[in-house]
């Protein structure tokens, strides 16, 4: 998801990956970062502690850049049946 959005919009994408134990240390909490897994756009936390649909991240990127928000994709029959985004 992130490489596609990075190619589509002029944004810098930083991915931080650490062992799960490091996210529960005092040093990590002092950084005032969200609980993993998380997505931040600028200083705004889009979601923390769960997955997020790509469209939600794209909407927040557009807001940050002052661009019009993308139109929501229409779901097909199979997507609705299997509840896929």
């Amino acid at each position: 998801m992130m490489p596609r959005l990075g190619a589509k919009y002029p944004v810098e994408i930083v991915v931080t990956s650490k062992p799960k134990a490091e996210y529960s240390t005092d040093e990590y909490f002092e950084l005032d970062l969200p609980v993993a897994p998380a997505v931040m756009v600028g200083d705004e936390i889009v979601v923390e502690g769960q997955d997020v649909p790509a469209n939600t991240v794209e909407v927040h990127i557009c807001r940050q850049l002052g661009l019009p928000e993308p139109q929501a994709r229409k779901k097909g029959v199979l997507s609705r049946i299997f509840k896929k985004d």
Side-chain angles (χ1 to χ4, degrees):
M1 163 177 55
M2 294 304 174
R4 179 183 62 82
L5 293 175
K8 190 172 181 180
Y9 299 102
V11 295
E12 177 184 349
I13 296 174
V14 178
V15 176
T16 303
S17 179
K18 300 179 181 192
K20 189 173 182 175
E22 287 188 39
Y23 289 110
S24 60
T25 63
D26 291 337
E27 291 82 17
Y28 183 79
F29 286 111
E30 288 175 8
L31 296 174
D32 200 29
L33 293 173
V35 176
V39 174
M40 292 179 69
V41 176
D43 292 333
E44 180 182 1
I45 298 171
V46 176
V47 68
E48 64 179 310
Q50 61 186 6
D51 291 334
V52 62
N55 187 51
T56 302
V57 176
E58 189 170 4
V59 166
H60 284 274
I61 288 172
C62 289
R63 287 179 188 164
Q64 181 79 18
L65 297 174
L67 300 172
E69 294 180 11
Q71 298 295 320
R73 294 180 298 165
K74 290 186 178 183
K75 291 187 176 183
V77 174
L78 291 177
S79 293
R80 285 183 267 167
I81 291 172
F82 295 108
K83 298 189 186 324
K84 291 186 178 184
D85 290 329

